[in-house]
Amino acid sequence: MSNGGAPANNNGPSDGTSKAIDWPSASVEDLVVLLGEPQHREKAISSLTQIKEVLSIYKSLTPEKLTMKDSSKVCDILVLFECLTTHPQTKMQFLNVKIHCYLYPFWETEERRKPFEYLRLMSLGVIGGLLKVVGDPSTKVAVHYLLESGLFPLCLKSIEYGNELSQSTASWIVSRIMMQEQGLQYCCEPANRLCAIMKVFNDVIEKMQDEPSSTVLKNIIECYVILSDDPRLASNLSKHICQAVQGLSPPEKLHSVNTDNCPYIEALRARPVTLKNLQYLFQKLSMGCGPNAQAIGDIAGSSHLDR
């Protein structure tokens, strides 16, 4: 509990009265207790944004200062935040007080040292908690809040610079955002944003050929499929959008999956759903969306994919 002025026992004394809560001096432990009290929950969540331990980490986000001890301390709080985002009674309150915005600096860095990776992964997990249930109305609201607050470019940066676990989580978040209409529209328009997304995906796939991640491939290919199914990309309403579709074709490395020499073949075969999605994507592209339609169509029908 906090030193001097910790919140009182919320059950109150036997006469039914209760002591006033000293909110400014409440510790993380105090606030955890208060989250269990409906009458105090909203104030407790709001108070979490003022926790000095969270704010002080911004001063330590330089490579020469951040240590695993600092990182672990903040990650303990991030675990609490993840509990808030996955609980239906606290999810919207978490968004309303904009706690998610406190996590964004953890994704702005290009550092790959363990303390930074730890913070990047744990903070991505907090955001993932907001998007777990695709059909939940609160997920639609969460996507709106996240897009409006500038999350998407930082999520792409995590895919670029994170380790495999961070890439997996960040690419999963992107796929969940694309599953919502507002998220899909955000990705498709303007066309230069779609091109930027495709470049990140393609670069990541190209770089992972030595040690392909079946999870990252699954999430990125799922994003390709979602985009290929969107009618905006196939329409002639915008010349720029049509040009962007040409960039929808996956990297050449994935085009070579009809041979056993493909570095991705085992990772793809490890997840039958991913392989099915890839075949579906090739079939879509062979209908005219890509520059190598005939070649892609041949790959889609290749039996090598199913061995």
Side-chain angles (χ1 to χ4, degrees):
M1 303 293 277
S2 59
N3 295 326
N9 184 336
N10 289 292
N11 291 327
S14 57
D15 61 1
T17 62
S18 60
K19 297 180 181 179
I21 296 173
D22 186 2
W23 290 101
S25 63
S27 70
V28 175
E29 292 84 359
D30 297 331
L31 296 172
V32 169
V33 173
L34 292 171
L35 284 172
E37 300 292 331
Q39 68 271 30
H40 298 309
R41 184 173 295 136
E42 186 170 357
K43 179 66 174 177
I45 293 175
S46 179
S47 296
L48 285 169
T49 66
Q50 307 301 321
I51 295 175
K52 292 181 179 179
E53 290 92 332
V54 177
L55 299 179
S56 65
I57 196 60
Y58 298 156
K59 299 177 182 179
S60 305
L61 272 177
T62 54
E64 63 272 16
K65 291 183 178 179
L66 186 64
T67 65
M68 275 304 298
K69 183 178 180 180
D70 295 328
S71 181
S72 297
K73 187 176 183 180
V74 176
C75 284
D76 289 341
I77 299 173
L78 294 179
V79 170
L80 167 63
F81 285 175
E82 187 169 356
C83 292
L84 298 179
T85 61
T86 55
H87 196 289
Q89 293 184 352
T90 55
K91 183 176 183 178
M92 293 311 304
Q93 293 172 356
F94 177 94
L95 288 166
N96 287 334
V97 296
K98 297 180 170 56
I99 295 180
H100 55 286
C101 295
Y102 285 81
L103 310 180
Y104 293 176
F106 303 148
W107 307 343
E108 291 174 349
T109 178
E110 297 176 7
E111 271 283 331
R112 290 185 167 96
R113 289 195 299 113
K114 192 172 182 179
F116 290 90
E117 283 293 355
Y118 196 24
L119 285 172
R120 182 183 286 121
L121 177 61
M122 293 298 293
S123 55
L124 285 168
V126 174
I127 300 301
L130 294 167
L131 306 173
K132 283 188 175 180
V133 185
V134 176
D136 192 321
S138 66
T139 301
K140 181 179 179 179
V141 176
V143 167
H144 173 77
Y145 271 87
L146 297 176
L147 293 178
E148 289 293 313
S149 61
L151 168 134
F152 199 89
L154 296 175
C155 210
L156 289 180
K157 194 165 188 176
S158 293
I159 297 176
E160 284 187 277
Y161 294 101
N163 61 15
E164 181 183 346
L165 288 174
S166 292
Q167 287 180 330
S168 298
T169 307
S171 57
W172 181 87
I173 290 172
V174 169
S175 71
R176 283 299 185 271
I177 289 175
M178 287 184 178
M179 289 179 184
Q180 300 295 323
E181 174 55 29
Q182 182 182 359
L184 186 55
Q185 182 176 353
Y186 174 92
C187 294
C188 294
E189 302 170 0
N192 62 345
R193 181 181 292 146
L194 176 62
C195 292
I197 295 170
M198 292 298 98
K199 184 180 186 305
V200 170
F201 287 170
N202 291 357
D203 287 349
V204 168
I205 291 177
E206 290 284 353
K207 291 175 182 177
M208 71 163 63
Q209 57 181 307
D210 292 336
E211 292 185 55
S213 165
S214 62
T215 305
V216 177
L217 282 173
K218 168 187 171 294
N219 294 335
I220 289 180
I221 290 172
E222 185 173 36
C223 290
Y224 283 138
V225 170
I226 293 171
L227 290 168
S228 71
D229 282 339
D230 189 82
R232 279 169 292 216
L233 297 180
S235 71
N236 293 318
L237 295 177
S238 168
K239 178 181 178 181
H240 296 293
I241 294 295
C242 291
Q243 289 175 342
V245 176
Q246 301 302 315
L248 187 59
S249 179
E252 290 299 319
K253 290 291 191 302
L254 288 182
H255 288 180
S256 67
V257 293
N258 63 328
T259 69
D260 287 326
N261 294 325
C262 172
Y264 305 94
I265 194 65
E266 293 305 322
L268 290 168
R269 288 173 177 166
R271 290 179 177 268
V273 173
T274 303
L275 206 49
K276 185 177 180 180
N277 281 340
L278 185 60
Q279 289 176 311
Y280 173 78
L281 178 63
F282 286 153
Q283 289 170 350
K284 291 279 291 186
L285 296 177
S286 70
M287 292 188 286
C289 290
N292 302 311
Q294 183 58 51
I296 296 173
D298 292 342
I299 294 170
S302 172
S303 61
H304 288 76
L305 291 169
D306 297 317
R307 286 183 183 175

